DNA sequence: CTGTTAGCGCATTCAC
DNA sequence: GTGAATGCGCTAACAG
């Protein structure tokens, strides 16, 4: 375990002072060009590396930001993260990625951990709809030392910025599209509507029905997790109804996939008998062998970039008057085979 | 921007000394139970949080480890990461995830960044087959301050531990299975064989051919990136040959998927005309509507856990005699429809 | 242009 | 049992 070389080492070697070395390393113009060059050279030669920890301790900035997501193995979240990285990396920030696996207690711990390692900010998509009940989160909220930005799965909390898509519109457009296909008994695979995104998709769905004179039927709404198995289970329930639906709008691509599997295995045709629309534009929706899946694109890359920008604004905003920003991006319906009854001209 | 409360604040409030507070907080038995309790209480009350940065600066340990992977949006890597997290989190470590997007320069930068933030170790799957040419990597290697563990995409470097699967066996088993299906003109979608994993899969493929009296035909080996488009491209080349192959062993599930798409669109049947085997057991291989894909499971969760364990051993191993460990897990062939010509009894 | 001094927050050695 | 002093590595204010 060799020790790392510090500015003192190189100061000593050069008969200088640590302060001078520090300044030279930072290209301070007050230092003569000669010594600057000299210092830089010997620093290189001695394999000097700045100790960011000391720097952080001194400056109070770690140049690390934490990103908390439910999972990283979905294209949506990994794309958002990529967007965040793209925006933050050039500014010298590093991204610490944490996944909660949708468990509230892990989310709590991660929040605490990130605060402990002195991240300069936290960008998160919540896993707990009742986040305010968290001790760690509340502490974070109260002292307002660490900027916080929600993306996608946000919570409407005063003073906290967020970047989302217009989930209401996403749900509305998806449902309207199904209506346009001639469907009039449209089921909805929802998810926990304590989360705004799922509530809004649901509300968009309801509104589209209402705007088109279709009566809302609560029995057609099934709460489903974002995974294949749950999609299957939900589809089974729907198929077993006396009057099964002629369309399904799922708030998750994964659940939509499961539903499609279950429906097909029951010998029912998609889209002829039942149309299906998902949500998120996961890559597999495009790669289906038979029935590519209609879905709603959430522009995750842009979402990530925007969230990062909002963070950058907040962190550079020194005055006390914090401006909360709630950016809403517009989703886009992508029509594919799973809902296209009528061949296109 | 309120300031955080430090041990000095609570010392002052209690008419004590920072040293005492520090000891009390650490449950030092030298401190009277009373003051210990008192300190703990007021710490709680004042919302005290230990500054990990100062601690790290003092102790030289950050309790952060870096994980560098080519990408996080594949089930394989995100599962490995999950395994690492599961093992390290209980020990108090945090995982900083970095993705290189397969770009060597980004890999360089990430290595440097992680070293700069004083991670206690780096677990990585390389994106650059000639890693030794990297300045940053070499520095890391030379001073041996930061334990390094390779997983999956490793490089055989003296003194560096690694956790991999037996890729040779993976390639061998996959090929043998295709031979057992009656295929005898088996193509191979390889990837850059400067990487050991791809070279070994390739060598396993060759050995299986040779062991079964099939002559190796170089024109049947196509270098392919791990993505759908490249898989399509490779399949196109194979289909356009005078004598197309009757099987494809792909070193990547993503490429296998692309190949399957291209083959089917050409009106050729899988597995009747061409059998296909992938590698990694990505979830979509199981979810295919018509042709679930035969593939090789790499046990990513176990790989991650093992890599983490190796790291923990290294970091706790204080003496100079570093023991290099090269763990090799055994892969498992998972046979599905894309390669099963004969119905199972 | 460069040196001196001090402090970021903590743990630890040496006193008493 | 507790206090005083010191150092981890760096930067910034103040001198000169």
């Amino acid at each position: 375990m060799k020790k790392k070389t510090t500015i003192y080492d190189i100061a000593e070697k050069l008969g200088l002072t640590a302060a001078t070395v520090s300044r030279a390393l930072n290209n301070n113009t007050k230092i003569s060009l000669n010594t600057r060059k000299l210092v830089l050279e010997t620093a290189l030669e001695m394999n000097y590396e700045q100790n960011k920890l000391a720097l952080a301790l001194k400056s109070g900035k770690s140049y690390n930001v934490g990103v908390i997501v439910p999972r990283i193995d979905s294209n949506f979240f990994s794309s958002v993260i990529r967007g965040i990285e793209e925006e933050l990396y050039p500014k010298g920030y590093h991204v610490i990625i944490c996944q909660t696996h949708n468990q509230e207690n892990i989310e709590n711990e991660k929040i605490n951990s990130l605060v402990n390692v002195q991240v300069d900010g936290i960008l998160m998509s919540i896993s707990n709809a009742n986040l305010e009940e968290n001790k760690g989160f509340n502490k974070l909220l109260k002292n307002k030392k660490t900027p916080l930005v929600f993306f996608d799965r946000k919570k409407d909390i005063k003073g906290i910025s967020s970047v989302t898509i217009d989930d209401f519109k996403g749900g509305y457009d998806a449902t309207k599209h199904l209506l346009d296909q001639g469907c009039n008994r449209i089921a909805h695979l929802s998810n926990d509507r304590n989360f705004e995104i799922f509530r809004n998709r649901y509300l968009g769905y309801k509104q589209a029905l209402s705007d088109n004179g279709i009566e809302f039927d609560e029995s057609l709404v099934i709460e489903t997790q974002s995974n294949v198995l749950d999609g299957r289970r939900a589809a089974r329930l729907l198929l077993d109804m006396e009057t099964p639906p002629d369309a399904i709008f799922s708030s998750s691509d994964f659940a939509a996939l499961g539903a499609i599997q279950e429906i097909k295995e029951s010998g029912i045709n998609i889209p002829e008998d039942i149309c299906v629309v998902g949500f998120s534009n996961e890559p597999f929706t495009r790669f289906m062998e038979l029935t590519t899946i209609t879905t709603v694109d959430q522009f995750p890359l842009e979402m990530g970039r925007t969230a990062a920008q909002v963070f950058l604004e907040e962190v550079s905003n020194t005055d006390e008057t914090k401006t909360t920003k709630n950016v809403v991006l517009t989703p886009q319906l992508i029509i594919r085979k799973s809902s296209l009854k009528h061949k296109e001209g």
Side-chain angles (χ1 to χ4, degrees), chain A residues 8-40:
Chain A
Y8 287 95
D9 299 329
I10 112 158
E12 190 183 7
K13 177 154 184 177
L14 258 43
L16 287 173
T17 261
T20 310
V21 173
S22 169
R23 282 187 277 248
L25 255 21
N26 288 309
N27 248 307
N28 187 321
T29 47
K30 298 277 194 175
I31 303 293
S32 79
L33 219 66
N34 279 332
T35 44
R36 245 188 290 170
K37 224 181 91 184
L38 192 62
V39 167
L40 249 48

Side-chain angles (χ1 to χ4, degrees), chain A residues 91-104:
Chain A
K91 309 279 185 187
Y93 286 94
H94 286 278
V95 174
I96 301 181
I97 305 170
C98 301
Q99 43 182 341
T100 66
H101 305 297
N102 251 316
Q103 289 176 254
E104 304 181 358

Side-chain angles (χ1 to χ4, degrees), chain A residues 89-129:
Chain A
Y89 199 71
K91 309 279 185 187
Y93 286 94
H94 286 278
V95 174
I96 301 181
I97 305 170
C98 301
Q99 43 182 341
T100 66
H101 305 297
N102 251 316
Q103 289 176 254
E104 304 181 358
N105 57 328
I106 297 191
E107 185 172 61
N108 278 337
E109 290 172 14
K110 296 289 183 184
I111 291 175
N112 284 326
S113 308
L114 288 176
V115 172
N116 279 340
V117 300
Q118 317 279 105
V119 290
D120 295 344
I122 293 180
L123 312 188
M124 74 183 293
S125 204
I126 67 177
S127 298
N128 177 3

Side-chain angles (χ1 to χ4, degrees), chain A residues 48-250:
Chain A
Y48 168 76
E49 266 164 28
Q50 191 188 43
N51 184 330
K52 301 279 185 188
L53 253 39
L55 185 59
L57 181 59
K58 178 74 182 168
S59 69
K61 287 202 60 167
S62 69
Y63 275 98
N64 280 134
V65 309
V67 175
I68 305 178
V69 291
R71 58 197 282 191
I72 58 175
D73 66 340
S74 83
N75 185 269
F76 173 70
F77 285 119
S78 57
S79 294
V80 174
I81 291 172
R82 178 157 189 174
I84 293 173
E85 281 181 338
E86 282 178 1
E87 198 69 22
L88 255 34
Y89 199 71
K91 309 279 185 187
Y93 286 94
H94 286 278
V95 174
I96 301 181
I97 305 170
C98 301
Q99 43 182 341
T100 66
H101 305 297
N102 251 316
Q103 289 176 254
E104 304 181 358
N105 57 328
I106 297 191
E107 185 172 61
N108 278 337
E109 290 172 14
K110 296 289 183 184
I111 291 175
N112 284 326
S113 308
L114 288 176
V115 172
N116 279 340
V117 300
Q118 317 279 105
V119 290
D120 295 344
I122 293 180
L123 312 188
M124 74 183 293
S125 204
I126 67 177
S127 298
N128 177 3
N130 300 309
L131 205 52
E132 299 103 320
E133 292 169 8
N134 286 15
K135 254 178 47 185
F137 180 75
N138 263 319
K139 236 187 305 182
L140 183 63
L141 221 57
K142 217 165 37 191
N143 26 2
K144 303 194 175 191
K145 276 172 308 218
T146 314
L148 182 63
V149 179
F150 286 142
F151 59 86
D152 193 50
R153 293 182 174 210
K154 73 154 188 167
K155 181 100 204 190
D156 208 3
I157 297 178
K158 193 166 150 291
I160 303 210
S161 296
S162 65
V163 181
T164 51
I165 59 154
D166 186 342
D167 286 287
F168 181 90
K169 178 175 164 53
Y172 190 97
D173 289 354
T175 310
K176 180 67 167 55
H177 161 67
L178 290 169
L179 291 164
D180 289 345
Q181 294 294 308
C183 307
N184 55 30
R185 190 163 164 71
I186 303 175
H188 177 42
L189 307 193
S190 186
N191 196 326
D192 185 347
R193 286 193 292 284
N194 290 311
F195 290 98
E196 285 186 21
I197 59 167
F198 299 123
R199 186 164 60 249
N200 287 335
R201 290 173 200 177
Y202 164 79
L203 291 174
Y205 155 80
K206 273 181 82 169
Q207 187 65 45
L209 292 183
S210 144
D211 284 357
N212 289 270
I214 308 276
E215 202 178 342
F216 170 67
D217 179 351
E218 183 135 26
S219 70
L220 288 175
V221 176
I222 300 187
E223 186 160 324
T224 322
Q225 301 278 87
S226 272
N227 63 56
V228 176
L229 229 58
D230 244 38
R232 287 191 94 109
R233 185 187 57 75
R236 188 72 265 148
L237 289 175
L238 291 170
L239 294 176
D240 287 346
M241 292 177 75
E242 263 182 59
T243 322
D246 56 10
I248 298 177
F249 161 48
S250 168

